[in-house]
Amino acid sequence: MQILVTGGAGFIGGHLAEHFATDGHDVVVLDNLDPYYSVDLKRHNIGVGRAAGTDGEGSYEFVEGDVRDADLVEELVADAEYVFHEAAQAGVRTSVENPRKYDAVNVDGTLNVLDAARDHGIERVVVASSSSVYGGREEYLPFSETDPAMPVSPYGASKLAAERYTCAYADVYDLPAVALRYFTVYGPRMRPNMAITNFVSRAINGDPPVVYGDGSQIRDFTYIEDIVTANETLLSTDAADGEVLNVGSSGTIDIETLAIEIRDQLAPDLDLAYADRHDADAEATHADISKAREILGYEPTRSIREGVAEFIEWYQENREWYEPLVLES
């Protein structure tokens, strides 16, 4: 199959591109290498993808460009059968500082992908959304797709607009399109500025993990392999077309407990440190995955404790090249 992965040099997109190339598909990655976090990590993801394309029966091509470039997006979509749209401006906190960039990338960029897919008869478009659309109000936990979407950050608002456009295009233009709401994804090669990465890095280096707020915030962390599996399933079924689906672990942990567990595995004598919490941070996330389970047969394979243990092992094995990228973030 011919597969286009936008944002394919990022964390999730990089894993998708690698997996698809390993499985024998012909993969094109579009990414603008935005320096929101280490460009060296993105280049590493490109290298992994190229190796996967070389070693297997598939192929891998990287195109440096931006989803805001409608002509380039149309050119690449025209040659694809499936599009996995992972490109986005990430970051809840930084979205407060520059909301218009989030609108331009996450909303207009998504419209460029949807317009091109509509015009060129794509088999399916899978659009990455986020649990941030829910806004974190605890009275609705666990969040199901029928609960109110009330984002508390410009980032969350931009992802909600993107997924609403996705479903509208599915309804109005009969475009085979699906929006997946990811719940805090983690695992090997994850973004350096995420909580788990920072907890692990600081503990390994003898520094106290820093918790923002009192640590009572609840998160549903999803292991990257489960995200890849959910996306891969959409290569072979149309059952989710026009739908929004939660993709989470269905389990939760509070941030303070997470920090303690990581600290206890790596440096049990350390104390935790605390800093001010940002207003745009959601109070809680927790996925009701019954819809994805029913439609896709989705079933998470890692609890947070199992996944974190795997990430710590991977971090230690890859510390020489990965840790400098974490420390510079």
Side-chain angles (χ1 to χ4, degrees):
M1 295 177 183
Q2 304 288 329
I3 297 175
L4 171 64
V5 182
T6 70
F11 171 41
I12 298 174
H15 277 271
L16 288 176
E18 176 195 6
H19 182 82
F20 291 145
T22 299
D23 271 7
H25 301 296
D26 296 316
V27 177
V28 174
V29 161
L30 172 65
D31 203 294
N32 69 348
L33 303 180
D34 185 274
Y36 172 67
Y37 63 90
S38 173
V39 174
D40 287 340
L41 179 54
K42 296 180 180 184
R43 294 193 185 282
H44 181 87
N45 288 334
I46 294 167
V48 171
R50 284 177 173 154
T54 301
D55 294 343
E57 297 181 0
S59 65
Y60 179 99
E61 177 186 356
F62 172 69
V63 176
E64 185 171 353
D66 200 303
V67 290
R68 290 172 288 184
D69 183 341
D71 292 338
L72 176 59
V73 169
E74 182 170 15
E75 177 185 338
L76 296 178
V77 170
D79 292 331
E81 296 173 85
Y82 291 84
V83 178
F84 291 83
H85 178 44
E86 303 294 323
Q89 185 62 47
V92 168
R93 297 173 185 175
T94 51
S95 74
V96 176
E97 302 165 8
N98 189 4
R100 287 193 176 272
K101 183 176 183 181
Y102 285 74
D103 181 76
V105 177
N106 298 353
V107 183
D108 289 344
T110 298
L111 281 170
N112 287 339
V113 171
L114 294 172
D115 282 338
R118 176 194 63 186
D119 293 343
H120 292 283
I122 295 301
E123 292 288 337
R124 182 160 299 104
V125 180
V126 182
V127 174
S129 186
S130 166
S131 61
S132 293
V133 304
Y134 289 113
R137 292 180 61 175
E138 292 181 273
E139 62 263 38
Y140 294 107
L141 295 177
F143 298 129
S144 73
E145 294 84 352
T146 56
D147 286 329
M150 297 179 290
V152 296
S153 67
Y155 170 76
S158 71
K159 297 301 280 186
L160 179 59
E163 72 169 46
R164 289 295 87 206
Y165 273 119
T166 300
C167 293
Y169 271 56
D171 288 340
V172 175
Y173 304 115
D174 243 3
L175 176 68
V178 182
L180 300 180
R181 287 178 179 167
Y182 301 151
F183 282 68
T184 316
V185 188
Y186 72 102
R189 309 203 309 269
M190 68 188 294
R191 271 177 24 210
N193 57 353
M194 301 294 283
I196 292 175
T197 322
N198 284 320
F199 291 165
V200 172
S201 175
R202 290 183 68 83
I204 282 179
N205 286 286
D207 297 319
V210 178
V211 175
Y212 291 94
D214 63 4
S216 63
Q217 308 96 302
I218 295 170
R219 291 291 179 269
D220 186 334
F221 288 95
T222 314
Y223 197 68
I224 183 61
E225 287 186 15
D226 294 330
I227 296 292
V228 170
T229 297
N231 279 274
E232 181 182 36
T233 303
L234 293 168
L235 289 174
S236 58
T237 180
D238 61 4
D241 286 351
E243 300 287 347
V244 175
L245 301 177
N246 289 338
V247 184
S249 72
S250 77
T252 62
I253 190 169
D254 68 77
I255 297 299
E256 185 178 55
T257 299
L258 175 64
I260 290 170
E261 293 220 355
I262 291 172
R263 185 271 316 270
D264 287 351
Q265 288 190 48
L266 294 169
D269 293 334
L270 289 176
D271 292 325
L272 300 185
Y274 294 83
D276 291 340
R277 178 183 167 188
H278 198 283
D279 290 341
D281 289 342
E283 185 63 38
T285 65
H286 184 193
D288 178 345
I289 60 170
S290 56
K291 185 176 179 182
R293 181 181 283 128
E294 178 182 353
I295 294 177
L296 300 182
Y298 171 74
E299 202 65 56
T301 60
R302 309 291 202 287
S303 69
I304 180 61
R305 290 166 176 82
E306 292 168 336
V308 164
E310 288 189 37
F311 176 70
I312 289 173
E313 181 179 358
W314 177 88
Y315 187 110
Q316 291 170 324
E317 292 173 353
N318 293 272
R319 185 177 178 183
E320 182 176 353
W321 69 267
Y322 182 67
E323 186 169 80
L325 308 183
V326 177
L327 296 178
E328 75 181 29
S329 65

